[in-house]
Structure formats: structure tokens, C-alpha cells
mmCIF file of all heavy atoms in Angstrom:
data_model
loop_
_atom_site.group_PDB
_atom_site.id
_atom_site.type_symbol
_atom_site.label_atom_id
_atom_site.label_comp_id
_atom_site.label_asym_id
_atom_site.label_seq_id
_atom_site.Cartn_x
_atom_site.Cartn_y
_atom_site.Cartn_z
ATOM 1 N N ALA A 456 225.874 -85.021 4.442
ATOM 2 C CA ALA A 456 226.718 -85.724 3.479
ATOM 3 C C ALA A 456 226.340 -85.339 2.054
ATOM 4 O O ALA A 456 227.208 -85.120 1.202
ATOM 5 C CB ALA A 456 226.594 -87.232 3.683
ATOM 6 N N ALA A 457 225.035 -85.241 1.782
ATOM 7 C CA ALA A 457 224.581 -84.850 0.446
ATOM 8 C C ALA A 457 224.975 -83.413 0.139
ATOM 9 O O ALA A 457 225.402 -83.088 -0.981
ATOM 10 C CB ALA A 457 223.073 -85.035 0.336
ATOM 11 N N ALA A 458 224.852 -82.535 1.116
ATOM 12 C CA ALA A 458 225.244 -81.139 0.906
ATOM 13 C C ALA A 458 226.735 -81.032 0.609
ATOM 14 O O ALA A 458 227.153 -80.232 -0.242
ATOM 15 C CB ALA A 458 224.886 -80.312 2.134
ATOM 16 N N ALA A 459 227.548 -81.828 1.286
ATOM 17 C CA ALA A 459 228.991 -81.796 1.051
ATOM 18 C C ALA A 459 229.330 -82.210 -0.375
ATOM 19 O O ALA A 459 230.359 -81.791 -0.924
ATOM 20 C CB ALA A 459 229.697 -82.702 2.052
ATOM 21 N N ASP A 460 228.479 -83.023 -0.984
ATOM 22 C CA ASP A 460 228.693 -83.442 -2.370
ATOM 23 C C ASP A 460 227.983 -82.536 -3.367
ATOM 24 O O ASP A 460 227.919 -82.846 -4.562
ATOM 25 C CB ASP A 460 228.216 -84.885 -2.559
ATOM 26 C CG ASP A 460 229.200 -85.901 -2.003
ATOM 27 O OD1 ASP A 460 230.406 -85.589 -1.953
ATOM 28 O OD2 ASP A 460 228.763 -87.003 -1.609
ATOM 29 N N GLY A 461 227.409 -81.441 -2.887
ATOM 30 C CA GLY A 461 226.839 -80.455 -3.796
ATOM 31 C C GLY A 461 225.360 -80.574 -4.063
ATOM 32 O O GLY A 461 224.828 -79.845 -4.911
ATOM 33 N N PHE A 462 224.654 -81.446 -3.353
ATOM 34 C CA PHE A 462 223.217 -81.585 -3.569
ATOM 35 C C PHE A 462 222.467 -80.518 -2.774
ATOM 36 O O PHE A 462 222.503 -80.508 -1.544
ATOM 37 C CB PHE A 462 222.726 -82.965 -3.130
ATOM 38 C CG PHE A 462 223.090 -84.080 -4.062
ATOM 39 C CD1 PHE A 462 224.088 -84.984 -3.743
ATOM 40 C CD2 PHE A 462 222.416 -84.225 -5.266
ATOM 41 C CE1 PHE A 462 224.414 -86.022 -4.595
ATOM 42 C CE2 PHE A 462 222.736 -85.265 -6.145
ATOM 43 C CZ PHE A 462 223.733 -86.160 -5.804
ATOM 44 N N ASP A 463 221.755 -79.644 -3.487
ATOM 45 C CA ASP A 463 220.919 -78.662 -2.805
ATOM 46 C C ASP A 463 219.450 -79.054 -2.819
ATOM 47 O O ASP A 463 218.589 -78.292 -2.392
ATOM 48 C CB ASP A 463 221.102 -77.267 -3.412
ATOM 49 C CG ASP A 463 220.723 -77.211 -4.889
ATOM 50 O OD1 ASP A 463 220.233 -78.216 -5.439
ATOM 51 O OD2 ASP A 463 220.930 -76.136 -5.502
ATOM 52 N N ALA A 464 219.161 -80.250 -3.318
ATOM 53 C CA ALA A 464 217.799 -80.794 -3.296
ATOM 54 C C ALA A 464 217.875 -82.259 -2.904
ATOM 55 O O ALA A 464 218.832 -82.967 -3.255
ATOM 56 C CB ALA A 464 217.121 -80.640 -4.652
ATOM 57 N N VAL A 465 216.869 -82.725 -2.174
ATOM 58 C CA VAL A 465 216.811 -84.117 -1.726
ATOM 59 C C VAL A 465 215.388 -84.644 -1.871
ATOM 60 O O VAL A 465 214.425 -83.880 -2.018
ATOM 61 C CB VAL A 465 217.277 -84.274 -0.256
ATOM 62 C CG1 VAL A 465 218.721 -83.837 -0.105
ATOM 63 C CG2 VAL A 465 216.371 -83.502 0.695
ATOM 64 N N GLU A 466 215.282 -85.948 -1.831
ATOM 65 C CA GLU A 466 214.002 -86.644 -1.759
ATOM 66 C C GLU A 466 214.217 -87.869 -0.886
ATOM 67 O O GLU A 466 215.347 -88.253 -0.598
ATOM 68 C CB GLU A 466 213.523 -87.059 -3.155
ATOM 69 C CG GLU A 466 214.465 -88.026 -3.869
ATOM 70 C CD GLU A 466 213.973 -88.453 -5.241
ATOM 71 O OE1 GLU A 466 213.369 -87.618 -5.955
ATOM 72 O OE2 GLU A 466 214.189 -89.633 -5.592
ATOM 73 N N PHE A 467 213.136 -88.476 -0.433
ATOM 74 C CA PHE A 467 213.258 -89.725 0.317
ATOM 75 C C PHE A 467 211.922 -90.435 0.307
ATOM 76 O O PHE A 467 210.900 -89.881 -0.111
ATOM 77 C CB PHE A 467 213.768 -89.501 1.746
ATOM 78 C CG PHE A 467 213.251 -88.266 2.446
ATOM 79 C CD1 PHE A 467 211.928 -88.164 2.831
ATOM 80 C CD2 PHE A 467 214.103 -87.210 2.737
ATOM 81 C CE1 PHE A 467 211.459 -87.039 3.490
ATOM 82 C CE2 PHE A 467 213.647 -86.075 3.385
ATOM 83 C CZ PHE A 467 212.321 -85.984 3.763
ATOM 84 N N LEU A 468 211.942 -91.685 0.769
ATOM 85 C CA LEU A 468 210.733 -92.509 0.737
ATOM 86 C C LEU A 468 209.855 -92.235 1.948
ATOM 87 O O LEU A 468 208.853 -91.543 1.856
ATOM 88 C CB LEU A 468 211.115 -93.992 0.646
ATOM 89 C CG LEU A 468 211.966 -94.397 -0.558
ATOM 90 C CD1 LEU A 468 212.222 -95.903 -0.539
ATOM 91 C CD2 LEU A 468 211.324 -93.975 -1.862
ATOM 92 N N PHE A 469 210.226 -92.797 3.086
ATOM 93 C CA PHE A 469 209.343 -92.781 4.251
ATOM 94 C C PHE A 469 210.078 -92.182 5.453
ATOM 95 O O PHE A 469 210.864 -92.865 6.098
ATOM 96 C CB PHE A 469 208.874 -94.204 4.575
ATOM 97 C CG PHE A 469 208.397 -94.962 3.361
ATOM 98 C CD1 PHE A 469 209.092 -96.070 2.911
ATOM 99 C CD2 PHE A 469 207.272 -94.546 2.673
ATOM 100 C CE1 PHE A 469 208.662 -96.775 1.788
ATOM 101 C CE2 PHE A 469 206.833 -95.228 1.554
ATOM 102 C CZ PHE A 469 207.529 -96.346 1.101
ATOM 103 N N PRO A 470 209.831 -90.931 5.764
ATOM 104 C CA PRO A 470 210.566 -90.258 6.841
ATOM 105 C C PRO A 470 209.904 -90.384 8.205
ATOM 106 O O PRO A 470 210.304 -89.701 9.149
ATOM 107 C CB PRO A 470 210.510 -88.794 6.386
ATOM 108 C CG PRO A 470 209.158 -88.677 5.743
ATOM 109 C CD PRO A 470 208.944 -89.998 5.039
ATOM 110 N N TYR A 471 208.923 -91.266 8.343
ATOM 111 C CA TYR A 471 207.975 -91.166 9.457
ATOM 112 C C TYR A 471 208.507 -91.675 10.788
ATOM 113 O O TYR A 471 207.826 -91.571 11.805
ATOM 114 C CB TYR A 471 206.670 -91.855 9.055
ATOM 115 C CG TYR A 471 206.152 -91.279 7.748
ATOM 116 C CD1 TYR A 471 206.217 -92.003 6.562
ATOM 117 C CD2 TYR A 471 205.665 -89.977 7.700
ATOM 118 C CE1 TYR A 471 205.781 -91.452 5.361
ATOM 119 C CE2 TYR A 471 205.225 -89.414 6.508
ATOM 120 C CZ TYR A 471 205.289 -90.156 5.348
ATOM 121 O OH TYR A 471 204.868 -89.593 4.157
ATOM 122 N N GLU A 472 209.724 -92.209 10.787
ATOM 123 C CA GLU A 472 210.350 -92.569 12.060
ATOM 124 C C GLU A 472 210.924 -91.344 12.767
ATOM 125 O O GLU A 472 211.325 -91.438 13.932
ATOM 126 C CB GLU A 472 211.461 -93.594 11.841
ATOM 127 C CG GLU A 472 210.962 -94.960 11.365
ATOM 128 C CD GLU A 472 212.094 -95.951 11.206
ATOM 129 O OE1 GLU A 472 213.263 -95.558 11.447
ATOM 130 O OE2 GLU A 472 211.828 -97.098 10.832
ATOM 131 N N HIS A 473 210.971 -90.232 12.066
ATOM 132 C CA HIS A 473 211.571 -89.014 12.609
ATOM 133 C C HIS A 473 210.536 -87.898 12.630
ATOM 134 O O HIS A 473 209.748 -87.756 11.688
ATOM 135 C CB HIS A 473 212.769 -88.589 11.762
ATOM 136 C CG HIS A 473 213.815 -89.649 11.610
ATOM 137 N ND1 HIS A 473 214.786 -89.872 12.560
ATOM 138 C CD2 HIS A 473 214.009 -90.570 10.631
ATOM 139 C CE1 HIS A 473 215.548 -90.870 12.160
ATOM 140 N NE2 HIS A 473 215.107 -91.316 11.002
ATOM 141 N N PRO A 474 210.509 -87.080 13.682
ATOM 142 C CA PRO A 474 209.572 -85.959 13.709
ATOM 143 C C PRO A 474 209.896 -84.970 12.601
ATOM 144 O O PRO A 474 211.081 -84.759 12.277
ATOM 145 C CB PRO A 474 209.772 -85.346 15.096
ATOM 146 C CG PRO A 474 211.123 -85.801 15.528
ATOM 147 C CD PRO A 474 211.347 -87.141 14.888
ATOM 148 N N PRO A 475 208.889 -84.357 11.999
ATOM 149 C CA PRO A 475 209.163 -83.427 10.900
ATOM 150 C C PRO A 475 210.058 -82.264 11.323
ATOM 151 O O PRO A 475 210.833 -81.749 10.505
ATOM 152 C CB PRO A 475 207.769 -82.952 10.473
ATOM 153 C CG PRO A 475 206.870 -83.278 11.621
ATOM 154 C CD PRO A 475 207.456 -84.488 12.262
ATOM 155 N N GLU A 476 209.985 -81.863 12.578
ATOM 156 C CA GLU A 476 210.813 -80.753 13.041
ATOM 157 C C GLU A 476 212.302 -81.079 12.926
ATOM 158 O O GLU A 476 213.122 -80.211 12.579
ATOM 159 C CB GLU A 476 210.466 -80.402 14.492
ATOM 160 C CG GLU A 476 209.049 -79.897 14.703
ATOM 161 C CD GLU A 476 208.028 -81.029 14.778
ATOM 162 O OE1 GLU A 476 208.439 -82.220 14.819
ATOM 163 O OE2 GLU A 476 206.820 -80.714 14.795
ATOM 164 N N ALA A 477 212.673 -82.325 13.217
ATOM 165 C CA ALA A 477 214.080 -82.720 13.139
ATOM 166 C C ALA A 477 214.571 -82.706 11.697
ATOM 167 O O ALA A 477 215.709 -82.299 11.405
ATOM 168 C CB ALA A 477 214.266 -84.107 13.753
ATOM 169 N N ILE A 478 213.710 -83.154 10.765
ATOM 170 C CA ILE A 478 214.092 -83.154 9.353
ATOM 171 C C ILE A 478 214.153 -81.724 8.821
ATOM 172 O O ILE A 478 215.079 -81.357 8.085
ATOM 173 C CB ILE A 478 213.100 -84.000 8.542
ATOM 174 C CG1 ILE A 478 213.094 -85.450 9.062
ATOM 175 C CG2 ILE A 478 213.448 -83.971 7.060
ATOM 176 C CD1 ILE A 478 212.018 -86.315 8.454
ATOM 177 N N ALA A 479 213.181 -80.912 9.197
ATOM 178 C CA ALA A 479 213.172 -79.517 8.742
ATOM 179 C C ALA A 479 214.429 -78.782 9.188
ATOM 180 O O ALA A 479 214.974 -77.952 8.446
ATOM 181 C CB ALA A 479 211.916 -78.810 9.263
ATOM 182 N N GLU A 480 214.899 -79.095 10.383
ATOM 183 C CA GLU A 480 216.121 -78.450 10.879
ATOM 184 C C GLU A 480 217.302 -78.812 10.005
ATOM 185 O O GLU A 480 218.156 -77.947 9.703
ATOM 186 C CB GLU A 480 216.365 -78.861 12.329
ATOM 187 C CG GLU A 480 217.468 -78.078 13.032
ATOM 188 C CD GLU A 480 218.862 -78.580 12.697
ATOM 189 O OE1 GLU A 480 219.018 -79.798 12.487
ATOM 190 O OE2 GLU A 480 219.789 -77.744 12.623
ATOM 191 N N ARG A 481 217.394 -80.066 9.560
ATOM 192 C CA ARG A 481 218.496 -80.474 8.686
ATOM 193 C C ARG A 481 218.404 -79.774 7.327
ATOM 194 O O ARG A 481 219.415 -79.330 6.775
ATOM 195 C CB ARG A 481 218.494 -81.994 8.482
ATOM 196 C CG ARG A 481 218.681 -82.837 9.737
ATOM 197 C CD ARG A 481 219.954 -82.494 10.484
ATOM 198 N NE ARG A 481 220.328 -83.499 11.447
ATOM 199 C CZ ARG A 481 219.788 -83.644 12.669
ATOM 200 N NH1 ARG A 481 218.808 -82.854 13.061
ATOM 201 N NH2 ARG A 481 220.221 -84.595 13.487
ATOM 202 N N LEU A 482 217.198 -79.673 6.790
ATOM 203 C CA LEU A 482 217.032 -78.992 5.510
ATOM 204 C C LEU A 482 217.471 -77.526 5.607
ATOM 205 O O LEU A 482 218.180 -77.015 4.737
ATOM 206 C CB LEU A 482 215.567 -79.075 5.057
ATOM 207 C CG LEU A 482 215.058 -80.452 4.639
ATOM 208 C CD1 LEU A 482 213.537 -80.442 4.512
ATOM 209 C CD2 LEU A 482 215.691 -80.883 3.318
ATOM 210 N N ARG A 483 217.057 -76.868 6.676
ATOM 211 C CA ARG A 483 217.438 -75.464 6.859
ATOM 212 C C ARG A 483 218.944 -75.318 7.042
ATOM 213 O O ARG A 483 219.581 -74.435 6.454
ATOM 214 C CB ARG A 483 216.715 -74.868 8.074
ATOM 215 C CG ARG A 483 215.244 -74.557 7.849
ATOM 216 C CD ARG A 483 214.701 -73.709 8.978
ATOM 217 N NE ARG A 483 214.802 -74.381 10.278
ATOM 218 C CZ ARG A 483 213.872 -75.174 10.785
ATOM 219 N NH1 ARG A 483 212.746 -75.396 10.098
ATOM 220 N NH2 ARG A 483 214.020 -75.740 11.971
ATOM 221 N N ALA A 484 219.519 -76.203 7.849
ATOM 222 C CA ALA A 484 220.942 -76.088 8.162
ATOM 223 C C ALA A 484 221.818 -76.214 6.920
ATOM 224 O O ALA A 484 222.894 -75.601 6.843
ATOM 225 C CB ALA A 484 221.335 -77.150 9.192
ATOM 226 N N HIS A 485 221.356 -76.986 5.938
ATOM 227 C CA HIS A 485 222.189 -77.253 4.766
ATOM 228 C C HIS A 485 221.650 -76.595 3.501
ATOM 229 O O HIS A 485 222.163 -76.867 2.397
ATOM 230 C CB HIS A 485 222.333 -78.765 4.581
ATOM 231 C CG HIS A 485 222.942 -79.438 5.776
ATOM 232 N ND1 HIS A 485 224.258 -79.246 6.150
ATOM 233 C CD2 HIS A 485 222.405 -80.262 6.721
ATOM 234 C CE1 HIS A 485 224.513 -79.930 7.252
ATOM 235 N NE2 HIS A 485 223.404 -80.554 7.623
ATOM 236 N N GLY A 486 220.648 -75.727 3.650
ATOM 237 C CA GLY A 486 220.134 -74.986 2.510
ATOM 238 C C GLY A 486 219.557 -75.863 1.425
ATOM 239 O O GLY A 486 219.695 -75.567 0.227
ATOM 240 N N GLN A 487 218.879 -76.946 1.832
ATOM 241 C CA GLN A 487 218.364 -77.902 0.859
ATOM 242 C C GLN A 487 216.849 -77.809 0.727
ATOM 243 O O GLN A 487 216.135 -77.471 1.673
ATOM 244 C CB GLN A 487 218.746 -79.326 1.268
ATOM 245 C CG GLN A 487 220.241 -79.600 1.135
ATOM 246 C CD GLN A 487 220.657 -80.850 1.873
ATOM 247 O OE1 GLN A 487 220.157 -81.147 2.968
ATOM 248 N NE2 GLN A 487 221.598 -81.593 1.313
ATOM 249 N N LYS A 488 216.380 -78.161 -0.465
ATOM 250 C CA LYS A 488 214.951 -78.211 -0.750
ATOM 251 C C LYS A 488 214.522 -79.666 -0.848
ATOM 252 O O LYS A 488 215.194 -80.486 -1.493
ATOM 253 C CB LYS A 488 214.661 -77.502 -2.078
ATOM 254 C CG LYS A 488 213.202 -77.601 -2.538
ATOM 255 C CD LYS A 488 212.996 -76.865 -3.848
ATOM 256 C CE LYS A 488 211.566 -77.046 -4.352
ATOM 257 N NZ LYS A 488 210.551 -76.571 -3.397
#
């Protein structure tokens, strides 16, 4: 959703409910830092 609105960078508070591999896949898929 953020990529669709033009965000190529993201931040967040506490991602620890999700394995880092799942988050890394989303970052790669949408070209985000």
C-alpha cells in the first residue's frame, strides 16, 4: 500500500510478531528501504 502511494522508504515500531524473512521479502518485492 505504501509503495502504491510512492513511498520507497518505510519505518515501523515493533515488527517482532513477524519473522524477519517475511518482512525482508516485502521490502525486496516493493523496492523499499
